[in-house]
Amino acid sequence: MLVACLLLGAAPAAAPRFVPWIDGTADEPETQVQRIDPDTYVIRQSVRTNFEAPFLYLLFGRDRALLIDTGAGGLRVRPTVDRLIATWRGAHADRPVRLIVAHSHGHGDHHAGDAEFADRPDTRLVGLSPGAVAAFFGLRDWPEQVGRYDLGGRVLRIVPTPGHEPAHIMVYDERTRLLFSGDMLYPGRLYVPRDQTAVFRASADRLARFARQHPVRALLGAHVEMTRTPGEDYAMHAPAHPDEHGLALPPAAIAELDRAVTAALSLEIDRHADFIVYPVAPRAP
């Protein structure tokens, strides 16, 4: 199992800079881990275990740790998570920490590993429906209310962003000013079911309003599907990602997405340098 260190930019406000991920182009472990700071980890599932190659995020507070997503299956993700928790506890006088397992949204490539955590001690697994997400994070007015969740000295903001999927959320970390943006905004194809266009537009507007009120250092999404060539994505189900786009997106991408989906009367495939708005057929209920 490869553990790589994360390098931070020189300025406090700079976006995280990651060492290159092994992206299917070389011998690749099932998971790769990079550290943003001693309390924030990025876990990437190998392209060779699943073409989605999703990113998972583990955030530690004083009392609780939040795991965002559990992967796309084809591997065991819990051993990596348990190892990181053990490492963190070892650096904090073996302090107990409760694990919260939540999701950016309810698509299968983000919760396939949930069963691994069902019997884990001192662990809470958050449900996948909008109601379950709203109830856990105390959102009485879904999707308009922005939630507040404290890991213990580390406050997160929960931003409902349905449209791509009904229970989609983004998680904003006040400490690092990073926005964990799931599948709504990342370097890739932003799939919007055509019967959810209005919902997606409303979420893009809600996100833009939130960003105007909260300083965003960078967005970290759930996938990378773009190359470093502006506007160029990989083929569907690509088994490798040579010349891969960086994971972090600049905060300007929020306003760019909001303008793109607001301006169009009907959404069509719309290529931008760092993402593609990609309408798809409505999903079966």
Side-chain angles (χ1 to χ4, degrees), residues 37-54:
D37 63 30
D39 298 322
T40 312
Y41 292 84
V42 185
I43 304 167
R44 188 181 197 179
Q45 179 175 343
S46 165
V47 177
R48 71 180 176 85
T49 63
N50 189 287
F51 71 90
E52 297 279 10

Side-chain angles (χ1 to χ4, degrees), residues 19 31 104 125 199 216 230 240:
V19 299
T31 61
S104 59
L125 190 60
V199 177
V216 176

Side-chain angles (χ1 to χ4, degrees), residues 234-246:
Y234 297 105
M236 299 281 187
H237 299 193
H241 288 183
D243 195 34
E244 188 177 65
H245 190 294

Side-chain angles (χ1 to χ4, degrees), residues 129-200:
S129 69
V133 174
F136 180 82
F137 289 112
L139 303 174
R140 295 186 177 86
D141 183 18
W142 175 275
E144 296 302 326
Q145 181 184 355
V146 173
R148 181 182 187 276
Y149 190 74
D150 191 350
L151 296 176
R154 186 175 191 176
V155 174
L156 308 176
R157 297 289 179 175
I158 311 301
V159 186
T161 47
H164 172 74
E165 192 275 340
H168 198 288
I169 60 172
M170 293 189 183
V171 177
Y172 174 75
D173 177 20
E174 292 187 349
R175 178 191 296 179
T176 62
R177 293 179 289 168
L178 294 173
L179 183 62
F180 301 94
S181 52
D183 271 15
M184 183 176 177
L185 187 49
Y186 65 96
R189 295 178 290 272
L190 312 182
Y191 296 113
V192 185
R194 290 191 181 277
D195 61 344
Q196 297 297 308
T197 297
V199 177
F200 190 93

Side-chain angles (χ1 to χ4, degrees), residues 250-267:
I254 296 172
E256 186 174 354
L257 175 64
D258 191 35
R259 288 192 298 269
V261 300
T262 299
L265 294 177
S266 61
L267 295 188

